[in-house]
Amino acid sequence: MSGVETAVLDRIAKLLALGESPNEHEAAAAMTAAQRLMERHKIDVASVRERSLDAADAVPEDVEDTVLDAELSSRLPTWLSVLSSGIARANGCTTYINPIWDPATRSTRMRLHILGTRSDASAARYMYLYASRQVDAACDEAAERNGRPGRTWCANFRLAAAQRVALRVRDTSEAARKQETTAAIARGVTSTALALVSDDRDRICLAIKAKEKALGLRSRDGGGGAAYDRHAREEGRRAGDSIDISRGGKAALGSGHRAIGGRS
């Protein structure tokens, strides 16, 4: 890896870390800047994450509670609930909604939070922001082609697209786990090393559940959603299948996805 590549990776890692700032405007600006750098240099989150793990010498991480999306209004749209929870689970995290009183507008705004290790949450955050923008853009294009059919049609389109993206991310994550385990066995990694990775995943899972219990969280389904529109759902599913999840998809490896048995 060249000095320029290393510098770019370090810069992106710092921006992703800044994306966890409690200042929502600072966090949004940092995530946008990180996405631009990654697209410009054709870098995925997995590369940044591996660089960060090297720098930290793979020290076990604690579960943290950070903001995933601070730009919501008075409710969480069903499609965003499906997308965020699916991507979070694939990265070994979970999400919840935190209502915040906004004195400026004298109304309650919703903030979407994520529970997970810093590296897992950063990967999930980038993928969520990227995928949600892609779904929105695809919906705008489809609505234009179909004569701007209205809010119900768009709600159905976005929901179907989000469901497909979440399903594909889940399948990618599961396939990556199996592939990594198979490769580790082929390299002669011992069962003890594999057990340590499994124990780390279990530790993180238990820590997340403990935080959920402390916060009094209950499972959510995102609400009832809009009236069913078959045509919009079909177009949304096709759009969800066409969205390139590889830009963030390689990061959706779930918690504990460090190289088993160390890197060669």
Side-chain angles (χ1 to χ4, degrees):
M1 183 181 295
S2 70
V4 173
E5 290 174 326
T6 300
V8 171
L9 285 172
D10 288 343
R11 174 61 177 161
I12 294 171
K14 289 177 181 178
L15 286 169
L16 289 176
L18 191 58
E20 299 168 10
S21 167
N23 183 316
E24 61 190 69
H25 300 295
E26 182 180 58
M31 293 302 291
T32 299
Q35 183 176 351
R36 286 174 180 166
L37 273 176
M38 294 171 84
E39 290 178 351
R40 183 186 308 159
H41 295 278
K42 295 181 172 57
I43 294 172
D44 57 45
V45 181
S47 300
V48 182
R49 189 174 179 184
E50 184 173 349
R51 169 70 179 166
S52 298
L53 287 173
D54 281 338
D57 198 26
V59 175
E61 298 178 272
D62 291 328
V63 169
E64 299 179 0
D65 182 348
T66 54
V67 175
L68 178 61
D69 192 341
E71 301 300 318
L72 304 176
S73 56
S74 59
R75 59 179 295 274
L76 177 67
T78 306
W79 74 276
L80 282 180
S81 176
V82 169
L83 186 66
S84 61
S85 61
I87 289 174
R89 283 196 298 270
N91 282 278
C93 304
T94 190
T95 58
Y96 73 94
I97 303 169
N98 185 27
I100 301 292
W101 174 254
D102 185 353
T105 61
R106 299 185 63 81
S107 62
T108 299
R109 295 177 57 197
M110 296 298 172
R111 279 187 179 172
L112 187 58
H113 283 239
I114 185 166
L115 295 174
T117 65
R118 179 169 296 184
S119 59
D120 289 339
S122 291
R125 184 179 297 104
Y126 173 79
M127 175 176 281
Y128 164 77
L129 293 175
Y130 169 78
S132 61
R133 289 168 182 162
Q134 292 297 306
V135 170
D136 259 335
C139 183
D140 289 343
E141 292 178 5
E144 187 70 31
R145 290 196 308 270
N146 287 275
R148 298 187 176 277
R151 295 177 63 181
T152 298
W153 191 95
C154 289
N156 275 268
F157 180 99
R158 288 189 177 99
L159 177 58
Q163 289 170 334
R164 289 301 302 169
V165 170
L167 180 62
R168 291 172 61 210
V169 170
R170 184 201 68 186
D171 291 345
T172 298
S173 175
E174 291 177 353
R177 287 193 182 99
K178 291 177 181 178
Q179 183 179 14
E180 184 177 282
T181 300
T182 301
I185 293 173
R187 294 197 307 271
V189 174
T190 65
S191 59
T192 300
L194 292 172
L196 287 173
V197 173
S198 179
D199 287 347
D200 189 42
R201 291 175 185 150
D202 290 344
R203 177 188 64 80
I204 292 170
C205 183
L206 289 173
I208 289 174
K209 288 185 180 299
K211 281 189 175 288
E212 287 179 321
K213 184 175 181 180
L215 290 166
L217 302 181
R218 293 177 293 179
S219 61
R220 56 184 173 83
D221 58 11
Y228 187 83
D229 186 309
R230 183 179 61 82
H231 176 247
R233 295 287 179 104
E234 289 175 352
E235 288 226 15
R237 281 190 285 270
R238 284 195 292 272
D241 284 336
S242 68
I243 290 174
D244 181 12
I245 64 171
S246 64
R247 295 188 183 183
K250 292 180 182 179
L253 304 179
S255 73
H257 265 265
R258 298 164 182 171
I260 298 174
R263 276 177 287 274
S264 58

PDB file of all heavy atoms in Angstrom, residues 221-233:
ATOM      1  N   ASP A 221     -41.692  -2.549  14.354  1.00  0.00           N
ATOM      2  CA  ASP A 221     -41.882  -3.038  12.991  1.00  0.00           C
ATOM      3  C   ASP A 221     -42.015  -1.900  11.997  1.00  0.00           C
ATOM      4  O   ASP A 221     -42.254  -2.120  10.816  1.00  0.00           O
ATOM      5  CB  ASP A 221     -43.111  -3.953  12.901  1.00  0.00           C
ATOM      6  CG  ASP A 221     -44.390  -3.248  13.359  1.00  0.00           C
ATOM      7  OD1 ASP A 221     -44.365  -2.013  13.537  1.00  0.00           O
ATOM      8  OD2 ASP A 221     -45.406  -3.931  13.522  1.00  0.00           O
ATOM      9  N   GLY A 222     -41.879  -0.658  12.462  1.00  0.00           N
ATOM     10  CA  GLY A 222     -41.930   0.476  11.556  1.00  0.00           C
ATOM     11  C   GLY A 222     -43.314   0.985  11.257  1.00  0.00           C
ATOM     12  O   GLY A 222     -43.489   1.915  10.480  1.00  0.00           O
ATOM     13  N   GLY A 223     -44.353   0.384  11.860  1.00  0.00           N
ATOM     14  CA  GLY A 223     -45.705   0.894  11.640  1.00  0.00           C
ATOM     15  C   GLY A 223     -46.392   0.192  10.493  1.00  0.00           C
ATOM     16  O   GLY A 223     -45.870  -0.700   9.839  1.00  0.00           O
ATOM     17  N   GLY A 224     -47.620   0.614  10.220  1.00  0.00           N
ATOM     18  CA  GLY A 224     -48.452  -0.056   9.239  1.00  0.00           C
ATOM     19  C   GLY A 224     -48.096   0.246   7.804  1.00  0.00           C
ATOM     20  O   GLY A 224     -48.258  -0.591   6.919  1.00  0.00           O
ATOM     21  N   GLY A 225     -47.611   1.449   7.528  1.00  0.00           N
ATOM     22  CA  GLY A 225     -47.238   1.788   6.163  1.00  0.00           C
ATOM     23  C   GLY A 225     -48.439   2.197   5.324  1.00  0.00           C
ATOM     24  O   GLY A 225     -49.570   2.270   5.789  1.00  0.00           O
ATOM     25  N   ALA A 226     -48.191   2.451   4.033  1.00  0.00           N
ATOM     26  CA  ALA A 226     -49.229   2.944   3.128  1.00  0.00           C
ATOM     27  C   ALA A 226     -50.050   1.796   2.558  1.00  0.00           C
ATOM     28  O   ALA A 226     -49.695   0.625   2.683  1.00  0.00           O
ATOM     29  CB  ALA A 226     -48.566   3.729   1.999  1.00  0.00           C
ATOM     30  N   ALA A 227     -51.193   2.138   1.924  1.00  0.00           N
ATOM     31  CA  ALA A 227     -52.017   1.146   1.242  1.00  0.00           C
ATOM     32  C   ALA A 227     -51.197   0.469   0.156  1.00  0.00           C
ATOM     33  O   ALA A 227     -50.333   1.081  -0.473  1.00  0.00           O
ATOM     34  CB  ALA A 227     -53.242   1.833   0.644  1.00  0.00           C
ATOM     35  N   TYR A 228     -51.475  -0.812  -0.068  1.00  0.00           N
ATOM     36  CA  TYR A 228     -50.661  -1.623  -0.987  1.00  0.00           C
ATOM     37  C   TYR A 228     -50.854  -1.192  -2.433  1.00  0.00           C
ATOM     38  O   TYR A 228     -51.980  -1.007  -2.904  1.00  0.00           O
ATOM     39  CB  TYR A 228     -51.031  -3.092  -0.828  1.00  0.00           C
ATOM     40  CG  TYR A 228     -50.150  -4.036  -1.604  1.00  0.00           C
ATOM     41  CD1 TYR A 228     -48.931  -4.449  -1.080  1.00  0.00           C
ATOM     42  CD2 TYR A 228     -50.535  -4.492  -2.858  1.00  0.00           C
ATOM     43  CE1 TYR A 228     -48.112  -5.312  -1.788  1.00  0.00           C
ATOM     44  CE2 TYR A 228     -49.725  -5.367  -3.568  1.00  0.00           C
ATOM     45  CZ  TYR A 228     -48.513  -5.768  -3.028  1.00  0.00           C
ATOM     46  OH  TYR A 228     -47.700  -6.617  -3.727  1.00  0.00           O
ATOM     47  N   ASP A 229     -49.748  -1.035  -3.152  1.00  0.00           N
ATOM     48  CA  ASP A 229     -49.775  -0.711  -4.572  1.00  0.00           C
ATOM     49  C   ASP A 229     -48.847  -1.703  -5.279  1.00  0.00           C
ATOM     50  O   ASP A 229     -47.624  -1.619  -5.172  1.00  0.00           O
ATOM     51  CB  ASP A 229     -49.303   0.730  -4.810  1.00  0.00           C
ATOM     52  CG  ASP A 229     -49.440   1.167  -6.264  1.00  0.00           C
ATOM     53  OD1 ASP A 229     -48.974   0.434  -7.155  1.00  0.00           O
ATOM     54  OD2 ASP A 229     -50.007   2.251  -6.507  1.00  0.00           O
ATOM     55  N   ARG A 230     -49.423  -2.670  -5.993  1.00  0.00           N
ATOM     56  CA  ARG A 230     -48.651  -3.747  -6.592  1.00  0.00           C
ATOM     57  C   ARG A 230     -47.612  -3.244  -7.593  1.00  0.00           C
ATOM     58  O   ARG A 230     -46.463  -3.678  -7.581  1.00  0.00           O
ATOM     59  CB  ARG A 230     -49.592  -4.741  -7.287  1.00  0.00           C
ATOM     60  CG  ARG A 230     -48.871  -5.950  -7.891  1.00  0.00           C
ATOM     61  CD  ARG A 230     -49.864  -6.909  -8.539  1.00  0.00           C
ATOM     62  NE  ARG A 230     -50.578  -6.256  -9.626  1.00  0.00           N
ATOM     63  CZ  ARG A 230     -50.100  -6.120 -10.866  1.00  0.00           C
ATOM     64  NH1 ARG A 230     -48.888  -6.593 -11.160  1.00  0.00           N
ATOM     65  NH2 ARG A 230     -50.802  -5.533 -11.805  1.00  0.00           N
ATOM     66  N   HIS A 231     -48.012  -2.329  -8.446  1.00  0.00           N
ATOM     67  CA  HIS A 231     -47.091  -1.824  -9.473  1.00  0.00           C
ATOM     68  C   HIS A 231     -45.887  -1.130  -8.837  1.00  0.00           C
ATOM     69  O   HIS A 231     -44.740  -1.338  -9.246  1.00  0.00           O
ATOM     70  CB  HIS A 231     -47.823  -0.859 -10.413  1.00  0.00           C
ATOM     71  CG  HIS A 231     -46.927  -0.223 -11.428  1.00  0.00           C
ATOM     72  ND1 HIS A 231     -46.637   1.128 -11.420  1.00  0.00           N
ATOM     73  CD2 HIS A 231     -46.238  -0.751 -12.475  1.00  0.00           C
ATOM     74  CE1 HIS A 231     -45.816   1.400 -12.425  1.00  0.00           C
ATOM     75  NE2 HIS A 231     -45.560   0.288 -13.083  1.00  0.00           N
ATOM     76  N   ALA A 232     -46.155  -0.310  -7.826  1.00  0.00           N
ATOM     77  CA  ALA A 232     -45.068   0.396  -7.145  1.00  0.00           C
ATOM     78  C   ALA A 232     -44.136  -0.594  -6.450  1.00  0.00           C
ATOM     79  O   ALA A 232     -42.907  -0.425  -6.466  1.00  0.00           O
ATOM     80  CB  ALA A 232     -45.635   1.384  -6.137  1.00  0.00           C
ATOM     81  N   ARG A 233     -44.703  -1.633  -5.829  1.00  0.00           N
ATOM     82  CA  ARG A 233     -43.875  -2.631  -5.152  1.00  0.00           C
ATOM     83  C   ARG A 233     -42.977  -3.363  -6.150  1.00  0.00           C
ATOM     84  O   ARG A 233     -41.804  -3.624  -5.864  1.00  0.00           O
ATOM     85  CB  ARG A 233     -44.756  -3.643  -4.409  1.00  0.00           C
ATOM     86  CG  ARG A 233     -45.568  -3.061  -3.254  1.00  0.00           C
ATOM     87  CD  ARG A 233     -44.716  -2.725  -2.053  1.00  0.00           C
ATOM     88  NE  ARG A 233     -45.520  -2.154  -0.988  1.00  0.00           N
ATOM     89  CZ  ARG A 233     -45.901  -2.805   0.112  1.00  0.00           C
ATOM     90  NH1 ARG A 233     -45.537  -4.069   0.288  1.00  0.00           N
ATOM     91  NH2 ARG A 233     -46.626  -2.202   1.026  1.00  0.00           N
TER      92      ARG A 233
END
